[in-house]
Amino acid sequence: MPPSLSLWQNLCLYPVQAVSISWYHRGCARSQSVDDLTEPVAQTPPLPARGAPLHLRILQTTDVHGHLLPFDYYTNQSDRPWGLARLATLIRRARSEVGAANCLLFDNGDFLQGTPLTDLTAQPDHGWTEAHPVIAAMNDIGYDAGTLGNHEFNFGLDWLMETLAQARFPLTCCNVLTRRGATPTEDTSLLPPYLLLDRQLEDTDGQTQRLRIGVLGLVPPQILTWDHARLSDRVEVRDMVESARAWVPVLHAAGADLVVVLAHSGLDPGPDRPMMENAARALARLPGIDALLAGHSHKSFPSTDHQGIAGADATRGTLHDTPCVMAGFRGDHLGQLDLTMSHDGTKWRVTGHQSRLLPASSAQPCPALCTLLDIAHHHTLTLTAREIGQSLSPLHSYLSLVRDDPILHLVNDAQHRALAGILANGPLAQLPLLSACAPFKTGGRGGPLHFTDIPEGPLRLRHIADLYGFPNTLCGLLVTGAELRDWLERAAICFNRLAPGLPDQPLLDPAVPGHDFDVIDGLSYAIDLSQPARYDISGALIHPEAQRIRDLRHAGKPVRDDAHFIVATNSYRAHGGGPFAPLAANGLIYSGTRPVRDILADHVAALGQIGAAARPTWRFAPLPGTTVTVETGPGLRAHPADIAALNAIDLGLTDTGFLRLSLPLPDALPTLAHPVAAAYMDP
Ligand code: MN
Ligand code: MG
């Protein structure tokens, strides 16, 4: 018996007899249609196995977002518990355990965007002339294939295709199209719609077996919304489930012994819908998929992240009985899916599997990869150290969801100034100009350290990148007063409904990310949390009678529904998505290609010095005797005056390291700089 067999037996939680997972391709001749594949397992007599089984290890990285070294470019802290360099050590270990031939490594997308290394160094005009550092690292590690995430499209198609040409591994994606056909298999896709990887694997008798591994890649069709200005006249998209349903039988017909789907898509707990962003559950139910690698939502599988979601079985590592893995984000885990395959005399099939996640924190960074990245790393340090201006007080995001936030005012000021310059002397210059933005780092999925916390003193480019961490571009929208009110109602869904007069009710709905909390600068308004959320997270109107936004005013006067305004915002928001309406469809008056981060850097440089005074924009409506709890970063303790200003009480740290605060909602109206109408509480 080869020594590797006992290892594999330990790895396989599900011995051949106990497996109930593989009905979906049992008895599937390659020429059969999908309908022929759904024969239930009980009606298929077991076929005698021929030859020895073999073991195939599939490794996954996903949503690495440019985190190569265990380094935080915003704070200049090293030894962070993430990064591809740590995963490289785990990958080498995983390969040596099973033999490199029986090990495949895939990436699920969102690899080219996310840190100053990718968003500054690797972009044009930043003095970097070498290969893209992420591609260089992936080439060095040696991937078998990858697919694209939505963020790959953030820098435009031409840049993307030039960058992907540096990869020494194939990339695939079947649902981004340069020409849409009558059916998915008649589409012309931007990248190859699928891959067939012919591999020589060693079976448990030490014999070489030739297997053909079919790989399909999928990206959320929302890329056309999120990167509308860069993609709208260049590519089309198709629904991920529709595409996979059409292509998987093609892979089988082309001789695939195993079909692996790389879906840059997470698990939506709700019912299936067309053009779903997080379609992993629907994909897992399609026949003919042997392994599903998921991503995009930055969650982990198997883990407790998806407890209670139908079909997600973290114990078995299956999603609707399909073996599945999803390796978190920023290289915090390596996904490892071990498959046992047996030949039944006709074809190979999966007869056992084990799905697990290996934490990056358990490995040291690979020294060779660190050496390879050294020049790009130091280039990035030089770029991000450039002093842009001075901040007269600390800038932190610990309370961005609780109070008027100086960071949002700074970003809104920058957007306002830029759009005002663009519209100056034009016909729209007479309309009131507002600006909307949301906080990006508010803990949540990112953990208790996922906040911005910049000390007073020099503001460097790394701080600007921390204040605005996405390559979004500036847009201008023409909207009505009614649309403004509706926009704010959608932003206000991040809060739970509160029972007036009760203590310590959780303020934030954990299902809604902090980056949905748009604050529209230039207005003033109150948020009434005795009301239910008007919309759900997908933008469906769930409480038509509810109105959380009260006393909406511009320049001290109530906002009329038919009044017109210009709003500076970013490309993602202008085109809708999540709870937000696609206001750009009718109201887009400007769409630029300049990143808001650069606009912010210009603004700070022009000002020279930044204060931290936020203009009064929003507040919670009075709910006498009501207190709420909020989980924020423990770093807030270094800003005791901010805690005191809210009359908040420090309740200590949670199990996961968040700082829990109790704070009162106002008993009465705060005093504002502008007049408050008597009709304040009217809907
Ligand atoms: Mn991502
Ligand atoms: Mg993504």
Side-chain angles (χ1 to χ4, degrees):
M1 179 186 293
S4 62
L5 182 57
S6 60
L7 172 71
W8 277 103
Q9 284 172 330
N10 288 336
L11 289 173
C12 293
L13 284 177
Y14 302 98
V16 172
Q17 295 303 317
V19 166
S20 60
I21 60 170
S22 302
W23 61 266
Y24 41 81
H25 64 178
R26 200 169 277 236
C28 156
R30 283 166 197 153
S31 57
Q32 284 178 307
S33 72
V34 173
D35 288 340
D36 297 329
L37 306 183
T38 54
E39 188 181 355
V41 63
Q43 295 173 11
T44 310
L47 296 165
R50 193 185 69 183
L54 65 81
H55 302 297
L56 174 62
R57 173 168 281 182
I58 293 173
L59 301 175
Q60 181 214 23
T61 59
T62 190
D63 297 273
V64 171
H65 281 289
H67 292 80
L68 302 181
L69 299 170
F71 191 86
D72 184 332
Y73 289 100
Y74 306 116
T75 60
N76 279 2
Q77 290 170 291
S78 53
D79 296 325
R80 303 287 87 193
W82 64 62
L84 197 61
R86 290 189 191 275
L87 299 189
T89 301
L90 294 174
I91 290 164
R92 193 176 56 225
R93 203 178 291 161
R95 283 171 171 161
S96 71
E97 284 171 359
V98 301
N102 286 37
C103 201
L104 297 170
L105 173 61
F106 298 114
D107 185 84
N108 263 68
D110 276 4
F111 51 102
L112 294 177
Q113 174 277 333
T115 67
L117 187 73
T118 52
D119 298 8
L120 296 172
T121 295
Q123 293 307 311
D125 308 324
H126 288 86
W128 183 251
T129 54
E130 304 297 311
H132 193 292
V134 174
I135 301 284
M138 293 173 83
N139 284 342
D140 189 66
I141 292 169
Y143 278 73
D144 291 274
T147 193
L148 302 180
N150 50 301
H151 285 289
E152 265 65 75
F153 297 91
N154 288 167
F155 307 109
L157 268 191
D158 298 330
W159 177 89
L160 177 62
M161 298 311 281
E162 281 168 30
T163 302
L164 295 181
Q166 301 167 10
R168 293 201 301 266
F169 54 91
L171 288 134
T172 181
C173 183
C174 67
N175 70 321
V176 179
L177 318 172
T178 52
R179 194 187 59 80
R180 191 184 169 92
T183 66
T185 54
E186 295 168 86
D187 292 338
T188 308
S189 47
L190 180 71
L191 295 183
Y194 64 88
L195 303 169
L196 297 170
L197 308 176
D198 289 322
R199 293 290 188 268
Q200 299 195 7
L201 309 184
E202 193 174 303
D203 69 20
T204 52
D205 277 349
Q207 302 296 309
T208 298
Q209 301 285 351
R210 292 166 199 279
L211 266 79
R212 174 166 284 188
I213 292 117
V215 183
L216 199 65
L218 298 157
V219 71
Q222 283 73 16
I223 60 166
L224 265 200
T225 301
W226 295 328
D227 277 306
H228 188 267
R230 292 185 164 108
L231 300 181
S232 62
D233 54 354
R234 303 287 302 274
V235 292
E236 296 183 71
V237 289
R238 196 186 275 279
D239 178 85
M240 291 188 281
V241 180
E242 178 193 12
S243 300
R245 184 182 285 118
W247 281 110
V248 167
V250 173
L251 270 66
H252 283 288
D257 296 299
L258 181 81
V259 168
V260 180
V261 171
L262 312 181
H264 187 80
S265 192
L267 282 69
D268 186 318
D272 293 351
R273 302 179 295 281
M275 302 297 259
M276 275 180 93
E277 176 183 348
N278 288 301
R281 291 178 55 239
L283 291 167
R285 293 200 301 276
L286 292 177
I289 297 174
D290 298 288
L292 177 66
L293 311 191
H296 180 56
S297 63
H298 295 192
K299 296 185 180 180
S300 303
F301 188 86
S303 80
T304 54
D305 281 357
H306 301 93
Q307 236 161 11
I309 293 185
D313 187 335
T315 308
R316 293 177 60 221
T318 53
L319 191 55
H320 291 287
D321 295 332
T322 301
C324 178
V325 73
M326 181 188 212
F329 84 117
R330 69 182 170 197
D332 59 10
H333 288 85
L334 179 69
Q336 180 172 297
L337 188 55
D338 285 316
L339 302 178
T340 305
M341 300 186 65
S342 304
H343 200 277
D344 65 10
T346 308
K347 64 187 295 293
W348 288 98
R349 50 185 151 126
V350 176
T351 50
H353 76 275
Q354 188 191 41
S355 171
R356 56 188 298 212
L357 295 174
L358 311 176
S361 58
S362 67
Q364 290 300 312
C366 166
L369 193 60
C370 292
T371 302
L372 177 86
L373 294 168
D374 196 51
I375 299 172
H377 174 59
H378 282 93
H379 190 93
T380 308
L381 290 180
T382 304
L383 286 177
T384 53
R386 182 160 62 91
E387 190 174 320
I388 309 294
Q390 291 277 328
S391 179
L392 300 177
S393 50
L395 289 166
H396 68 76
S397 66
Y398 296 120
L399 299 170
S400 298
L401 301 174
V402 169
R403 60 159 201 195
D404 268 319
D405 186 54
I407 294 176
L408 299 190
H409 281 281
L410 181 61
V411 173
N412 273 328
D413 278 350
Q415 292 184 164
H416 185 285
R417 175 199 179 99
L419 192 60
I422 290 159
L423 300 180
N425 306 320
L428 296 168
Q430 303 310 313
L431 288 175
L433 177 57
L434 313 172
S435 178
C437 73
F440 289 129
K441 294 173 83 172
T442 56
R445 295 280 325 148
L449 300 178
H450 189 60
F451 290 89
T452 294
D453 190 352
I454 300 168
E456 64 182 273
L459 269 179
R460 303 184 185 280
L461 188 55
R462 66 185 167 89
H463 298 131
I464 303 293
D466 193 357
L467 291 168
Y468 204 97
F470 288 91
N472 300 339
T473 50
L474 184 69
C475 283
L477 295 176
L478 174 62
V479 300
T480 64
E483 286 171 328
L484 278 181
R485 186 185 303 275
D486 187 68
W487 186 337
L488 292 169
E489 287 287 352
R490 294 167 190 268
I493 69 167
C494 67
F495 302 112
N496 288 320
R497 185 182 192 178
L498 302 178
L502 293 186
D504 286 355
Q505 304 172 65
L507 176 67
L508 299 171
D509 179 347
V512 183
H515 62 241
D516 279 350
F517 185 57
D518 273 359
V519 170
I520 304 186
D521 196 73
L523 300 175
S524 68
Y525 48 98
I527 299 176
D528 178 0
L529 296 184
S530 70
Q531 296 276 308
R534 189 171 165 84
Y535 294 95
D536 73 8
I537 194 173
S538 69
L541 182 62
I542 49 171
H543 288 287
E545 75 293 352
Q547 286 196 320
R548 285 184 162 181
I549 302 303
R550 306 285 176 151
D551 192 32
L552 179 62
R553 290 167 176 274
H554 172 257
K557 297 198 188 79
V559 170
R560 290 200 338 259
D561 277 357
D562 60 353
H564 283 90
F565 300 84
I566 304 290
V567 186
T569 184
N570 70 61
S571 45
Y572 259 59
R573 188 66 84 240
H575 295 282
F580 293 98
L583 293 170
N586 293 319
L588 190 69
I589 51 114
Y590 173 76
S591 178
T593 54
R594 204 136 181 273
V596 175
R597 185 200 58 234
D598 293 0
I599 288 168
L600 178 61
D602 289 351
H603 179 66
V604 170
L607 290 179
Q609 286 189 332
I610 305 300
R615 281 181 302 281
T617 297
W618 71 275
R619 67 233 181 251
F620 292 118
L623 280 180
T626 311
T627 61
V628 294
T629 57
V630 178
E631 289 184 8
T632 184
L636 178 63
R637 283 176 169 166
H639 308 279
D642 291 335
I643 299 178
L646 293 169
N647 294 318
I649 300 166
D650 182 333
L651 298 178
L653 298 187
T654 66
D655 292 348
T656 48
F658 284 95
L659 173 63
R660 214 160 146 258
L661 294 181
S662 169
L663 52 106
L665 289 203
D667 283 332
L669 293 181
T671 312
L672 291 181
H674 57 75
V676 174
Y680 170 67
M681 286 304 287
D682 284 353

